Amino acid sequence: MGAQKKGATARVSEDPEELARHPLQAILLADSFTTKFRPITLERPKVLLPLVNIPMINYTLAWLESAGVEEVFVFCCAHSKQVIDYLESSEWSSQPNFSVTTIESHNSISAGDALRLIYERNVIHGDFVLISGDTVSNMSLTQALQEHKDRRKKDANAIMTMVVKQSKPSPITQQSRLGTDELFMAINPVTKQLLYYEDKAEYSKGFISLDKTLIADNPSVILHNDKQDCYIDICSQEVLSLFTDNFDYQHLRRHFVKGLLVDDIMGYKIFTHEIHSSYAARIDNFRSYDTISKDIIQRWTYPFVPDVLCGSSAIKVERQGTYRASDVTLSRSAQFGSFTFIGQGTKIGTDTKISHSVIGERCTIGSNVTIEGSYIWNNVTIEDGCQLRNAIVCDGVILKSGAVLQPGVILSFKVVVGQQFVVPAYSKVSLLQQPTQQDSDEELEYADSTSGTGELRSDKLNGDIAPDLSETASELGTGGVGYIWTVFEGAYDEEWRHSVAPIPTDKLVKLMLDKDEDEELLTQDGNVISASRELKTDSDGNGSEDDDNEDSRDDYVSFEKEVEATFLRAVHENVKVDLAVLEVNALRLSYNMASVDCGGAIFYSMMKLAVESPHNSASELHRNAADIVTTWQKLLKSFLHDIDEEIEVILKFEEMCLESAKEFAALFPQILHLLYDKEILQEDAILRWADEKEGADESDKVFLKRSEKFIQWLREAEEEEDDEDE
Amino acid sequence: MNRVGLQYLAGDLSGGNARCIAMLQAFQEAIRDYSTPPEKTLTRDLTSKIGGFVSFLIECRPLSMSMGNAIRFLKSRIARLPLTLSESEAKTTLCSDIDRFINEKIVLADKVILRHAAAKIRDGDVLLTYGSSCVVEMILLYAHELGKQFRVVVVDSHPMLEGQKLLRRLVVKGLSCIYTQLNAISYVMHEVTRVFLGASSIFSNGTVYSMVGTASVAMVAHAFRVPVLVCCEAYKFHERVQLDSICFNELGDPDAISKVPGRVDVNFLDNLTDKQKENLELLNLKYDATPSDYISVIVTDYGMIPPTSVPVIVREYRKEYLLI
């Protein structure tokens, strides 16, 4: 039925009813056009890499099928032969209501090229889902599709709906838990229209720039930095033709999306659809490979979990989230910890400890091996006494006895690590030599983000592979085979960002300190963005030991606000003085302040209240202040235990008179006298303050001069007392 | 007093200890504000005043047993005030008595229970708890601080879902947890080595009166031969004897069980006609009674005792708190 319809109308008819009857199509890009998974992707396409023992593309296809897509076009570029062979031999080629068609290309170097080629083929007849073959999701498309269609009916320019998900990036590294960079999106909260998209914001500058027309044209705009782009797009046919019209569009986001947002001639619009409870994420780098594997094992992606997807091949879920195939040979003394997957035909020796790891099929693991947080693919041999932490080990690798893999190591296919050899952290080892000639170009390209290397990869596959065993033996210990890839200058520092290994704590501490310095600089420039304020408080929550001035001052400001609010509440609701004291004390403890600060803050809020309550003349203001001080003197007094604290209050008052409440400036001596009368301030405190001020600048002495008379009087009174004592 | 009552009503204050402490503090405030009207004695008038407050609280939410005990304590203190005391002296004595009750019977008792219970947690244990009990939470965190290696299974149930609050606090502190609903209890009970439960009250026949669902947890644990430890401060013990959970219980809001928050698709009970509603009774019980057979030990501030020893504690304890 669907096929007939398609034949009848080659082009999209404008009638929405007709439109609805098209089978839902999807374009699946089986090539990411990046080099992040090298060296593994030199030998096998990324979409066929096992994710919890099942090739990634299976997750994507299974989701598309469940979401109601009937026709999928798989675009293969690098290693296209392998992808096509795999799909033909898999179950996907023989599904009744789900057709998978492959489109092969050898010269596409970007997603843009791929979409142009698909446009030429003229196979897409309506709205389609654009997705890459490394996306794991379990969301339902129905609602997003419906929203998209409704919008299309109203506005033909709404050509794309992007799926986004809440995900708070780490305030320290400014990357999401998937290892992608912090993403800034401006979205209209009512229409959900996407107005701004920036994934390569320069943190060093600490700000992002928005076009002012964006604010001017929209009644409300929300700028998000806590959304994650799921790379699932519902597109209309126009998207393909747009790619053809703009032949320089390469990257889906950096060129296409940003291009559309900037271009106001055509007026095309992009909308977002936010998902809340369902899962969607794309494997972009090794960090996301690790995160998503864990999510799959913890079943956030249900129903796309290994035991369901494998179907007949009998993988059982056991307690504590462990997955075990039916014919695993597990030694009695092996410890098999939580969240671990063990594939078919794997043998595990005595006293071996495994936790949070995935172990593929037909692996042989000796005794006394420790495996933590690692991904071991098929047919791997690990001899006795090896230690693996946060590593990826590809098919056919052999680890000789006593080898150690430090966190973040990637061992590509068939590498052999020699006895007792320690592979240093973050190294990538492959049988293939690192492509040297193109490197510099490629890095440039990568910076430009076109980074298409499809051609290069297929060249490599064609076989100038010459593993010179004798030469490489030394690189990986005795009997080792493979090349350790050198990391480019400068890139080494960034290696940890995208690695499978969790970010080392010393790195975090260092970053945090750097960030604080940055922020201080920014504050001096007066350029702090509000977002960084929020981030800042978060990083404090993480238990940082940074306790610089900046921080404590901010704390003091918010503390002062809290005290003020408490005080006002106390005044308006007639709270007892004792209770108010208790409340302020609690605040003091929670902000870790001294009682000096409390006194200052309370006095500040009292005076502020006086200023804010209605008054016409200075005398009335004085009376207001006097009333408040009289009522709440007990509260204030309970935080002023010694002279230093009282001096602090005077200083605070002086500051107020200069800055926030200038009206008090004239009343300074009167209020001082009042405080003295009420026994809030002792004469010692006032005199010491006066003495301290004596040596200060001329400008600082304004208030001292004004209250000279009062101080004079105090001094005399003191002398008299002294005389009497004698 | 009004504030506390309204908090009960809104459900902001829940948990036996929190409710009891809030009530006692409200009494303290009321006593401070109190002045004896002319031609009346403080003892009589204050007692009737307190009686008025209590009936107000009961209107907001029925009292728990522990609160009943606390009120009885307060009334006995008032009754035993020497007549020679002046009004202000009497007030300060009462306030300090209340403070002492909170301190000794609740705060310190919890600390003692912590010590006792933590001694029963061994490395490699899998501990199960039901709902959210503050004393169990303290025990788990304390044991974690001591560096013991154990896992926690938090079992929860509709409609309160209090376990999620507990779960959050535990996960934040770095304990490894499993969260499940009460209906999966028989599945998780296999791996559990100990069950820790909180209680609202314990009767003198050893019956534990606690959040609804506790009885099923204890029974399943008993069937799987898993020891059940009930953690309860001794002031919650009551001399009443109760055999089932229907004769004395508290009924919650029936709407709470007919609807599922956040799930608009579950609306099968909406739009029933009045005629149809006549055939329907929504029973939202808050408490149930667990027979003493299913309980291995009760951890209290007087040590770990079998459920059969509860009457002894009640007897001795009563004597003691009259002496305070």
Side-chain angles (χ1 to χ4, degrees):
Chain A
M1 169 68 198
Q4 278 172 9
K5 194 79 221 169
K6 216 169 48 188
T9 54
R11 299 211 56 81
V12 187
S13 60
E14 290 309 307
D15 188 347
E17 297 292 318
E18 291 275 289
L19 208 76
R21 257 176 262 147
H22 278 298
L24 185 58
Q25 295 175 311
I27 296 176
L28 189 153
L29 302 175
D31 192 333
S32 58
F33 305 106
T34 58
T35 55
K36 293 210 177 122
F37 265 82
R38 285 190 167 194
I40 303 173
T41 45
L42 286 182
E43 291 166 68
R44 192 186 281 188
K46 186 174 157 195
V47 291
L48 293 188
L49 302 184
L51 182 66
V52 197
N53 224 20
I54 297 168
M56 286 180 199
I57 196 169
N58 273 9
Y59 289 93
T60 318
L61 286 172
W63 170 67
L64 286 173
E65 190 193 11
S66 74
V69 174
E70 289 168 55
E71 210 175 354
V72 180
F73 296 95
V74 179
F75 183 89
C76 337
C77 184
H79 308 292
S80 50
K81 190 91 181 60
Q82 284 188 48
V83 179
I84 293 169
D85 285 350
Y86 173 78
L87 286 176
E88 273 169 6
S89 62
S90 74
E91 68 214 73
W92 298 111
S93 52
S94 55
Q95 297 278 335
N97 293 320
F98 186 68
S99 77
V100 178
T101 318
T102 49
I103 296 174
E104 194 180 351
S105 159
H106 290 299
N107 51 12
S108 300
I109 55 157
S110 70
D113 287 344
L115 293 179
R116 279 187 276 277
L117 191 82
I118 291 170
Y119 181 71
E120 282 163 24
R121 296 279 174 102
N122 199 15
V123 286
I124 299 293
H125 305 287
D127 291 347
F128 64 95
V129 180
L130 179 60
I131 190 174
S132 70
D134 45 13
T135 310
V136 179
S137 174
N138 63 359
M139 68 175 278
S140 153
L141 270 180
T142 335
Q143 205 200 340
L145 264 178
Q146 195 56 47
E147 281 175 15
H148 179 73
K149 281 186 177 148
D150 291 348
R151 268 198 294 266
R152 282 280 289 171
K153 267 186 223 162
K154 278 186 231 146
D155 183 357
N157 280 337
I159 54 166
M160 185 162 136
T161 302
M162 269 169 58
V163 176
V164 295
K165 186 169 168 47
Q166 177 91 25
S167 154
K168 198 157 171 45
S170 152
I172 304 162
T173 59
Q174 287 175 316
Q175 58 180 175
S176 68
R177 61 190 280 273
L178 293 176
T180 50
D181 289 321
E182 190 171 18
L183 175 66
F184 290 96
M185 282 200 257
I187 296 172
N188 182 328
V190 184
T191 61
K192 304 282 175 222
Q193 189 185 346
L194 179 73
L195 303 166
Y196 176 80
Y197 185 100
E198 182 62 67
D199 61 347
K200 280 255 173 257
E202 290 182 47
Y203 317 120
S204 49
K205 286 188 199 155
F207 59 86
I208 57 169
S209 45
L210 295 175
D211 193 4
K212 66 172 180 290
T213 54
L214 190 144
I215 314 283
D217 295 347
N218 293 282
S220 58
V221 174
I222 297 183
L223 182 65
H224 299 274
N225 75 339
D226 57 349
K227 296 279 184 276
Q228 167 199 322
D229 189 347
C230 303
Y231 295 94
I232 297 171
D233 302 325
I234 300 166
C235 307
S236 305
Q237 243 191 339
E238 281 88 339
V239 171
L240 290 182
S241 55
L242 268 173
F243 266 101
T244 317
D245 294 345
N246 298 284
F247 52 84
D248 55 336
Y249 281 177
Q250 303 288 353
H251 192 272
L252 268 180
R253 294 289 184 253
R254 292 192 193 101
H255 299 130
F256 175 68
V257 169
K258 284 185 192 169
L260 280 197
L261 291 174
V262 172
D263 175 29
D264 42 7
I265 302 166
M266 304 296 283
Y268 285 123
K269 290 170 189 159
I270 300 173
F271 289 85
T272 55
H273 172 78
E274 190 175 352
I275 52 173
H276 297 282
S277 56
S278 39
Y279 190 87
R282 178 179 169 212
I283 299 166
D284 186 50
N285 49 43
F286 288 118
R287 168 71 41 76
S288 42
Y289 179 85
D290 175 55
T291 316
I292 294 175
S293 297
K294 280 178 182 150
D295 289 344
I296 290 171
I297 289 177
Q298 295 181 348
R299 303 179 84 80
W300 293 104
T301 60
Y302 187 84
F304 306 112
V305 287
D307 52 317
V308 179
L309 278 184
C310 285
S312 53
S313 67
I315 287 178
K316 273 164 68 185
V317 193
E318 295 173 6
R319 283 175 193 284
Q320 294 189 53
T322 54
Y323 295 74
R324 186 151 40 148
S326 49
D327 54 350
V328 170
T329 318
L330 198 61
S331 151
R332 187 176 279 267
S333 58
Q335 288 179 24
F336 179 54
S338 57
F339 301 120
T340 302
F341 178 101
I342 295 189
Q344 238 166 357
T346 290
K347 293 191 184 74
I348 295 172
T350 51
D351 290 323
T352 288
K353 288 185 191 123
I354 303 172
S355 65
H356 298 90
S357 300
V358 173
I359 295 170
E361 293 171 11
R362 296 175 302 281
C363 295
T364 313
I365 295 172
S367 45
N368 283 316
V369 176
T370 312
I371 301 177
E372 272 173 34
S374 298
Y375 299 90
I376 293 163
W377 297 357
N378 302 334
N379 297 316
V380 174
T381 309
I382 298 175
E383 293 181 0
D384 298 355
C386 289
Q387 288 187 19
L388 293 85
R389 283 196 176 78
N390 303 100
I392 294 183
V393 178
C394 297
D395 289 5
V397 169
I398 299 172
L399 295 185
K400 296 273 176 68
S401 58
V404 176
L405 302 189
Q406 288 184 341
V409 167
I410 314 289
L411 297 184
S412 187
F413 298 92
K414 296 194 177 124
V415 163
V416 180
V417 178
Q419 264 181 25
Q420 311 289 340
F421 187 78
V422 178
V423 185
Y426 304 121
S427 37
K428 295 175 177 168
V429 185
S430 171
L431 281 191
L432 302 180
Q433 253 170 336
Q434 195 164 14
T436 44
Q437 212 191 331
Q438 288 96 336
D439 277 344
S440 53
D441 283 357
E442 221 178 82
E443 274 305 294
L444 279 178
E445 263 185 13
Y446 174 68
D448 260 349
S449 313
T450 42
S451 59
T453 49
E455 220 169 332
L456 177 82
R457 278 189 233 168
S458 32
D459 280 356
K460 279 283 168 199
L461 189 74
N462 291 342
D464 38 277
I465 307 169
D468 191 347
L469 298 187
S470 57
E471 200 183 306
T472 58
S474 56
E475 255 189 83
L476 284 171
T478 38
V481 181
Y483 299 94
I484 298 184
W485 284 26
T486 49
V487 184
F488 301 108
E489 285 300 314
Y492 183 78
D493 286 341
E494 296 298 302
E495 217 34 52
W496 54 271
R497 268 190 188 271
H498 303 304
S499 156
V500 273
I503 303 170
T505 37
D506 53 329
K507 209 84 201 179
L508 284 180
V509 171
K510 188 165 160 276
L511 269 178
M512 214 137 57
L513 293 175
D514 286 355
K515 206 166 119 59
D516 289 341
E517 277 168 26
D518 282 359
E519 222 150 81
E520 241 162 75
L521 282 176
L522 283 173
T523 345
Q524 280 157 16
D525 292 345
N527 251 344
V528 186
I529 49 166
S530 58
S532 81
R533 170 80 248 124
E534 186 200 330
L535 298 178
K536 187 75 187 147
T537 38
D538 266 27
S539 64
D540 292 341
N542 289 347
S544 59
E545 66 266 42
D546 55 332
D547 208 5
D548 50 23
N549 291 335
E550 162 70 0
D551 230 349
S552 55
R553 209 188 66 212
D554 282 351
D555 265 353
Y556 181 69
V557 170
S558 61
F559 168 72
E560 204 173 67
K561 284 212 180 98
E562 286 287 350
V563 170
E564 199 189 329
T566 312
F567 177 72
L568 285 180
R569 203 168 52 238
V571 171
H572 295 309
E573 295 170 15
N574 283 326
V575 177
K576 284 249 150 103
V577 173
D578 297 5
L579 287 178
V581 169
L582 207 69
E583 276 188 51
V584 174
N585 248 328
L587 281 175
R588 174 170 76 86
L589 291 177
S590 67
Y591 280 90
N592 197 13
M593 292 288 164
S595 65
V596 180
D597 302 316
C598 286
I602 293 172
F603 184 72
Y604 173 76
S605 24
M606 283 161 87
M607 288 300 121
K608 208 169 161 198
L609 180 69
V611 172
E612 273 163 11
S613 50
H615 60 270
N616 294 325
S617 61
S619 60
E620 241 174 274
L621 177 64
H622 179 239
R623 206 166 52 238
N624 279 345
D627 284 346
I628 292 168
V629 171
T630 322
T631 337
W632 295 99
Q633 54 177 316
K634 211 174 141 202
L635 175 65
L636 188 54
K637 196 67 204 156
S638 54
F639 290 100
L640 303 177
H641 303 298
D642 60 37
I643 294 196
D644 283 343
E645 285 162 4
E646 293 174 12
I647 293 175
E648 184 68 33
V649 167
I650 305 180
L651 290 174
K652 181 91 206 170
F653 186 39
E654 215 180 321
E655 191 185 307
M656 272 184 82
C657 292
L658 281 173
E659 285 164 22
S660 51
K662 294 211 172 69
E663 290 168 84
F664 271 122
L667 291 172
F668 186 85
Q670 278 98 314
I671 303 273
L672 209 57
H673 195 181
L674 173 76
L675 293 175
Y676 173 70
D677 276 352
K678 295 289 171 203
E679 291 181 350
I680 290 169
L681 300 180
Q682 296 169 31
E683 59 184 45
D684 277 356
I686 297 174
L687 292 176
R688 277 212 0 223
W689 167 74
D691 290 343
E692 265 176 38
K693 281 281 160 177
E694 209 67 66
D697 290 346
E698 212 46 42
S699 58
D700 260 348
K701 282 162 69 176
V702 184
F703 293 106
L704 184 63
K705 285 208 174 119
R706 285 196 188 163
S707 43
E708 217 158 35
K709 247 172 86 184
F710 172 57
I711 290 166
Q712 196 60 39
W713 176 77
L714 276 181
R715 282 192 208 278
E716 279 164 21
E718 195 181 55
E719 275 164 27
E720 271 171 35
E721 253 174 47
D722 287 351
D723 292 346
E724 275 169 28
D725 284 351
E726 281 167 30
Chain B
M1 212 67 216
N2 280 330
R3 184 167 48 93
V4 174
L6 292 176
Q7 274 176 326
Y8 287 172
L9 201 61
D12 289 347
L13 263 181
S14 62
N17 286 344
R19 277 169 70 193
C20 193
I21 292 178
M23 181 191 70
L24 287 173
Q25 280 169 346
F27 280 145
Q28 238 176 350
E29 241 174 85
I31 291 173
R32 280 202 205 100
D33 293 345
Y34 171 82
S35 62
T36 324
E39 298 168 21
K40 283 190 178 164
T41 54
L42 179 129
T43 346
R44 295 249 184 107
D45 190 54
L46 192 57
T47 318
S48 66
K49 262 265 166 60
I50 298 262
F53 291 144
V54 170
S55 54
F56 168 70
L57 287 184
I58 292 177
E59 257 173 54
C60 295
R61 188 177 163 184
L63 295 182
S64 66
M65 305 287 168
S66 53
M67 288 158 75
N69 278 346
I71 292 167
R72 250 194 310 173
F73 155 79
L74 180 64
K75 284 192 176 165
S76 76
R77 295 305 305 169
I78 295 174
R80 288 157 46 83
L81 279 177
L83 287 169
T84 50
L85 281 182
S86 75
E87 187 183 312
S88 64
E89 276 173 332
K91 275 157 70 174
T92 43
T93 358
L94 283 179
C95 286
S96 68
D97 276 347
I98 292 177
D99 271 337
R100 225 171 57 188
F101 185 87
I102 294 178
N103 231 328
E104 282 178 16
K105 298 296 167 202
I106 305 179
V107 179
L108 285 177
D110 279 347
K111 289 205 177 125
V112 176
I113 293 178
L114 277 192
R115 298 271 150 72
H116 286 307
K120 286 285 164 201
I121 300 178
R122 279 178 291 192
D123 281 352
D125 265 353
V126 182
L127 312 175
L128 183 141
T129 182
Y130 176 67
S132 171
S133 152
C134 67
V135 66
V136 171
E137 179 187 341
M138 285 193 276
I139 291 168
L140 296 176
L141 293 179
Y142 179 68
H144 182 68
E145 268 169 35
L146 290 182
K148 301 203 175 180
Q149 298 295 317
F150 60 93
R151 290 186 295 128
V152 181
V153 181
V154 178
V155 179
D156 206 352
S157 70
H158 273 284
M160 300 285 279
L161 294 179
E162 280 176 320
Q164 293 196 355
K165 285 188 224 159
L166 171 72
L167 190 72
R168 189 181 176 91
R169 291 192 287 259
L170 293 183
V171 170
V172 166
K173 287 275 162 76
L175 281 86
S176 96
C177 297
I178 296 176
Y179 177 75
T180 186
Q181 292 280 321
L182 182 59
N183 29 25
I185 182 86
S186 63
Y187 173 82
V188 286
M189 199 55 88
H190 280 283
E191 51 184 316
V192 172
T193 54
R194 266 167 197 51
V195 175
F196 279 87
L197 297 172
S200 172
S201 178
I202 298 181
F203 298 125
S204 56
N205 60 346
T207 303
V208 171
Y209 184 71
S210 184
M211 177 183 154
V212 67
T214 308
S216 2
V217 174
M219 274 183 237
V220 174
H222 181 77
F224 281 89
R225 306 276 184 272
V226 178
V228 178
L229 291 85
V230 175
C231 308
C232 181
E233 300 84 353
Y235 84 98
K236 291 179 176 173
F237 288 11
H238 202 277
E239 75 274 3
R240 186 202 300 256
V241 170
Q242 193 172 326
L243 298 174
D244 65 22
S245 23
I246 296 294
C247 63
F248 185 90
N249 208 321
E250 187 184 335
L251 285 175
D253 180 9
D255 271 347
I257 53 169
S258 67
K259 293 193 180 80
V260 183
R263 285 281 302 274
V264 269
D265 52 324
V266 185
N267 55 355
F268 309 111
L269 293 181
D270 291 0
N271 305 323
L272 286 180
T273 61
D274 288 345
K275 179 86 182 132
Q276 288 159 335
K277 274 186 184 159
E278 276 174 25
N279 300 331
L280 171 70
E281 188 202 348
L282 291 166
L283 181 64
N284 181 9
L285 283 180
K286 291 248 167 164
Y287 295 100
D288 67 7
T290 311
S292 59
D293 307 353
Y294 303 127
I295 291 157
S296 326
V297 76
I298 295 173
V299 188
T300 91
D301 28 341
Y302 295 96
M304 285 187 270
I305 54 164
T308 44
S309 304
V310 174
V312 184
I313 297 272
V314 172
R315 194 178 65 226
E316 299 299 317
Y317 175 57
R318 294 207 68 92
K319 248 193 227 158
E320 181 202 352
Y321 87 66
L322 290 178
L323 286 176
I324 297 179

